[in-house]
Amino acid sequence: MLARLKTALPPWMHDCLDVITPAVQILLIVAVALILHHLLRRLIFRASDHYQFPHELVKPINGVVRLFVLGGATLLVLERLGVSASVLWSAFTGFAAVGAVAFFAAWSVLSNIFCAFLIFTAGPFRVGDHIELLDANTEKPGPQGRVIDINLLYITLEDTSAPPDERRWLQIPNALVFQRVVRRWHAGHDARAPRAAPAEATPSIPEKSL
């Protein structure tokens, strides 16, 4: 198509055409990437509103989508500028290796983020519930309190074992919840109220005969 266009234009415009064509292609690539990112961003926010996901969980998802869209657009722009495919592949594999190393280095943080996504979707407990974490093997009593916040890294509990005149908070990593048995009280239940102990039977005293 470009050759046919050159035959229809005067020779002095051929050099300009060699510059204008890649520039127009690059502008189209950037425009399509921006439109695609905008549409995907709106789709993610609509899905978060429909499924009631917190916006703190949507931000990293938008970051990953933006990285893929802009990264693909950058590779296409470099290809239009004449960078060879072998150079692009070498750069891609190098970045992938660095990303894999960074992934394993930040595995604890990423696991907490993934567990936060599971907590929001599966809903083992909600903000306002009282929970207690027990050891899966021994069922020893662990930290307990009222859930006052759930973010991407921690679950914040209001410590119910604190004295009434003192307020303390516990921050539990999200991944720890899936390694323990969770005892849950629904919102409105006072977990600090002691359970009624069973009445002990008092031995009967035989009456003395007069």
Side-chain angles (χ1 to χ4, degrees):
M1 182 177 179
L2 185 60
R4 293 180 181 180
L5 188 60
K6 284 184 177 181
T7 56
L9 295 175
W12 61 271
M13 293 188 64
H14 291 178
D15 295 336
C16 295
L17 192 62
D18 292 336
V19 177
I20 293 174
T21 301
V24 172
Q25 291 176 347
I26 291 173
L27 290 177
L28 288 176
I29 291 172
V30 173
V32 171
L34 293 177
I35 294 173
L36 180 61
H37 176 254
H38 179 70
L39 293 176
L40 291 176
R41 187 170 179 268
R42 290 187 59 184
L43 180 62
I44 292 172
F45 274 109
R46 285 187 178 182
S48 67
D49 293 336
H50 182 268
Y51 293 102
Q52 297 180 354
F53 288 166
H55 290 289
E56 292 182 352
L57 189 63
V58 177
K59 288 181 181 179
I61 298 177
N62 279 329
V64 173
V65 172
R66 181 171 60 251
L67 178 63
F68 276 101
V69 172
L70 297 183
T74 303
L75 293 178
L76 291 176
V77 168
L78 291 176
E79 184 181 1
R80 292 294 91 193
L81 291 176
V83 180
S84 62
S86 60
V87 174
L88 292 177
W89 178 251
S90 300
F92 175 76
T93 53
F95 282 120
V98 174
V101 174
F103 177 82
F104 286 106
W107 172 248
S108 60
V109 177
L110 295 176
S111 64
N112 286 324
I113 295 175
F114 179 70
C115 290
F117 178 77
L118 294 179
I119 291 173
F120 287 122
T121 53
F125 50 84
R126 303 292 183 184
V127 174
D129 292 345
H130 288 265
I131 63 171
E132 181 181 5
L133 302 182
L134 306 175
D135 190 84
N137 298 322
T138 61
E139 293 191 1
K140 293 181 179 179
Q144 64 171 321
R146 183 172 63 90
V147 182
I148 60 175
D149 183 49
I150 303 174
N151 57 34
L152 295 179
L153 298 178
Y154 297 103
I155 300 166
T156 304
L157 305 179
E158 184 181 0
D159 192 1
T160 55
S161 62
D165 57 344
E166 181 182 353
R167 298 189 66 185
R168 293 185 302 195
W169 290 269
L170 303 174
Q171 287 187 317
I172 311 297
N174 294 330
L176 185 62
V177 175
F178 294 90
Q179 302 172 6
R180 299 290 183 92
V181 177
V182 179
R183 179 179 291 164
R184 175 187 180 187
W185 293 269
H186 290 288
H189 180 85
D190 190 3
R192 289 179 289 191
R195 299 179 181 177
E200 297 181 359
T202 56
S204 61
I205 302 175
E207 297 182 357
K208 296 182 180 179
S209 58
L210 298 176

